[in-house]
Amino acid sequence: MLSSTTLERLRSFRLSGLIDEFVRQEESSAYRELAFEDRLTLLVDAEYARRIDAQAQRLLKQARIPAALSIDDVKFAAKRKIKKQLFLTLLQDDWLKTGNTLIITGATGLGKTFLSSVITNHLCRRGIAVRYQRTHRWLADFLLAEERRRFPQAIAGYR
């Protein structure tokens, strides 16, 4: 077992995933037979996974989506007329890299909020910072920015 000083130093480095995995390994005799490199790999993988998850959670919180939905929740029913190929293309980030913006329009009840939540959630989990915003709120922000003569700065905030 590591000394308390070493654990405190690891905590000061903010390596909680590594520490948690180390403690878990120490509680099981199966890990003691592994080579040092194998155990180290498991420790680093646990820390990496914790950081990726923390980043995704931070991005999801900043995106302010109404519900955290995944691609598995989407049903491509004929009545919704969702083009599966187009939808799957939107889940990739190529359109964002070219500076495009996605605005989903349509009649009430077709699932615009649902689909945008799925896309936003998927992109955040891939480590991409995106912003979910309902159209009326977006327009209100722009009108307020125009009134305060800060429209160029408001537009720049969306890039």
Side-chain angles (χ1 to χ4, degrees):
M1 185 69 182
L2 291 177
S3 70
S4 61
T5 305
T6 303
L7 286 174
E8 285 305 314
R9 287 180 180 164
L10 286 172
R11 280 191 187 89
S12 74
F13 295 149
R14 296 183 179 158
L15 297 172
S16 61
L18 189 139
I19 295 168
D20 294 344
E21 178 64 16
F22 179 78
V23 169
R24 192 176 71 75
Q25 286 183 13
E26 285 297 304
E27 292 172 353
S28 173
S29 61
Y31 291 99
R32 292 189 185 120
E33 298 171 6
L34 290 177
F36 173 78
E37 292 84 5
D38 294 335
R39 283 190 73 182
L40 180 62
T41 299
L42 292 172
L43 293 171
V44 171
D45 287 348
E47 179 62 27
Y48 180 77
R50 184 198 63 80
R51 288 179 184 228
I52 293 296
D53 185 57
Q55 178 191 33
Q57 294 305 317
R58 181 181 49 79
L59 291 173
L60 285 168
K61 185 177 178 181
Q62 289 174 348
R64 296 181 182 175
I65 57 174
L69 301 165
S70 74
I71 182 68
D72 298 330
D73 297 321
V74 178
K75 307 291 184 245
F76 295 97
K79 72 176 187 173
R80 282 194 170 171
K81 299 180 183 176
I82 301 170
K83 295 178 181 171
K84 188 173 186 176
Q85 180 63 35
L86 174 62
F87 185 75
L88 293 175
T89 301
L90 292 173
L91 293 177
Q92 305 304 315
D93 61 349
D94 296 336
W95 59 277
L96 284 171
K97 290 177 181 173
T98 58
N100 290 314
T101 300
L102 176 64
I103 299 175
I104 300 175
T105 63
T108 302
L110 290 179
K112 299 176 296 293
T113 300
F114 174 81
L115 293 176
S116 59
S117 293
V118 170
I119 293 168
T120 302
N121 183 32
H122 182 79
L123 293 172
C124 286
R125 294 204 178 275
R126 290 184 62 198
I128 301 165
V130 293
R131 184 184 305 183
Y132 169 89
Q133 198 165 31
R134 298 182 68 102
T135 306
H136 71 278
R137 184 71 201 154
W138 182 56
L139 293 173
D141 287 348
F142 281 156
L143 288 172
L144 184 62
E146 178 65 24
E147 188 177 295
R148 293 181 177 170
R149 301 187 194 284
R150 297 210 170 265
F151 191 71
Q153 293 91 338
I155 293 291
Y158 280 87
R159 292 188 181 137

